């Protein structure tokens, strides 16, 4: 007789462990308590960093290529591919984590390298491109992505603007028209899905600049310039697209993809679970275990663990969360679909020590979950 089947579907513990490492530690603890358990790891992500590795862990081909980083320096980027579907993670190409020396560059960073990766995937035969839009280093309205895919930005004299020779504000402010004739030929035949967990518009108090540019290094003076540049850019490509929820994702990359690539915005975790055929994976399972570094009220808005909980509940499989810490009440945890929540902070209240020893703590949590649920 086979043992209980447990599906481990955690997101990363940011700054501590990757999603596959979280799953591995939980698995060690569960097997220690229940040696016969059939433990299956399905690491997840909600569109930000870690999305490609989640698909690689599920057996998709991991493709690594040369592509410019966010400030143009030579770098390496990675995407995942299966059949005609490619999952491209912005963070893995032009994200904050790719900035040389971690030096923020709010006016210089762009998304050109992301476009290089997308073009590579199209050349490799991808006809469905999923763009994970978390962790952006830039606020360029997606102009770099589009330039790399062949969109020409023209000035008032109909001359092409050299995006490598000027900062983002100067480039976008000088655009008078765009020429789509040179777009990569496969763009017209491809379907683009934006996997993200934010619904911000491009402009205004809830837009890309106001909400996200400070964490990319923009001061008040820069923010005024960036907002004006994006407002002008929106007038060129279509202000209607600027108002769509998600247009402000990744410094306005969502807007550029909506306006030129005909992209659709979807919840990152929903896209991931669909492509990983998660419903079939959990069918008949005894338990699903998910989690992330911090389970809080922001988690309720499209974050991975709540998406996993919804999918598990729909399949009538109980689900519990293993987290670094939680800011939710027991009632809120139950309302989010979890049968129980196990924060590492109960074992190690000191946050710094908890992060340093998260792997061992998760093994202990895994043992407790097995004891109480298997």
């Amino acid at each position: 007789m086979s043992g209980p089947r447990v599906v481990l579907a955690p997101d990363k513990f940011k700054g501590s462990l990757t999603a596959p490492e979280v799953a591995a530690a939980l698995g060690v603890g569960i097997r220690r308590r229940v040696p016969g358990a059939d433990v299956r790891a399905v690491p997840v992500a909600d569109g930000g960093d870690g999305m490609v590795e989640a698909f690689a862990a599920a057996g998709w081909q991991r493709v690594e290529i040369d592509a410019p980083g966010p400030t143009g320096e030579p770098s390496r980027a990675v995407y995942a591919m299966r059949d005609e579907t490619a999952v491209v993670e912005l963070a893995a190409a032009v994200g904050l984590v790719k900035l040389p020396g971690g030096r923020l560059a709010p006016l210089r960073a762009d998304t050109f390298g992301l476009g290089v990766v997308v073009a590579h995937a199209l050349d490799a035969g991808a006809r469905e491109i999923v763009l994970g839009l978390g962790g952006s280093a830039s606020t360029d309205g997606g102009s770099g992505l589009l330039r790399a895919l062949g969109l020409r930005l023209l000035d008032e004299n109909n001359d092409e603007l050299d995006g490598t020779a000027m900062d983002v504000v100067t480039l976008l402010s000088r655009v008078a028209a765009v020429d789509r004739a040179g777009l990569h030929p496969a763009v017209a035949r491809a379907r683009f899905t934006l996997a993200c967990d934010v619904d911000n518009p491009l402009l205004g108090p809830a837009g890309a600049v106001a909400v996200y540019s400070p964490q990319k290094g923009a001061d008040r003076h820069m923010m005024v310039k960036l907002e004006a540049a994006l407002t002008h850019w929106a007038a060129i490509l279509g202000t209607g697209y600027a108002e769509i929820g998600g247009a402000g994702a990744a410094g306005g990359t969502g807007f550029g993809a909506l306006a030129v690539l005909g992209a659709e915005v979807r919840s990152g975790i929903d896209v991931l679970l669909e492509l990983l055929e998660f419903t079939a994976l959990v069918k008949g399972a005894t338990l699903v275990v998910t989690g992330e570094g911090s389970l809080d009220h922001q988690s309720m808005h499209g974050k991975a663990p709540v998406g996993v909980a919804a999918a598990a509940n729909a399949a009538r499989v109980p689900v519990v969360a293993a987290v670094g810490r939680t800011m939710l009440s027991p009632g809120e945890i139950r309302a989010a679909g979890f049968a129980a929540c196990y924060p590492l902070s109960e074992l190690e209240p000191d946050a710094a020590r908890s992060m340093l020893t998260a792997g061992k703590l998760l093994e202990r949590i895994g043992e407790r979950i097995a004891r109480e649920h298997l």
Side-chain angles (χ1 to χ4, degrees), residues 14 47-49 90-91 94-97 132-138 215-216 250:
K14 195 164 187 176
D49 51 312
L90 181 148
V94 293
L96 285 163
V97 295
L133 292 187
S136 163
S138 59
Q215 68 195 43
K216 301 170 188 181

Side-chain angles (χ1 to χ4, degrees), residues 260-274:
V260 177
L261 305 180
E264 174 191 10
V265 181
R266 290 189 60 197
S267 159
I269 186 60
D270 288 352
V271 172
L272 182 139
L273 294 179
E274 182 181 297

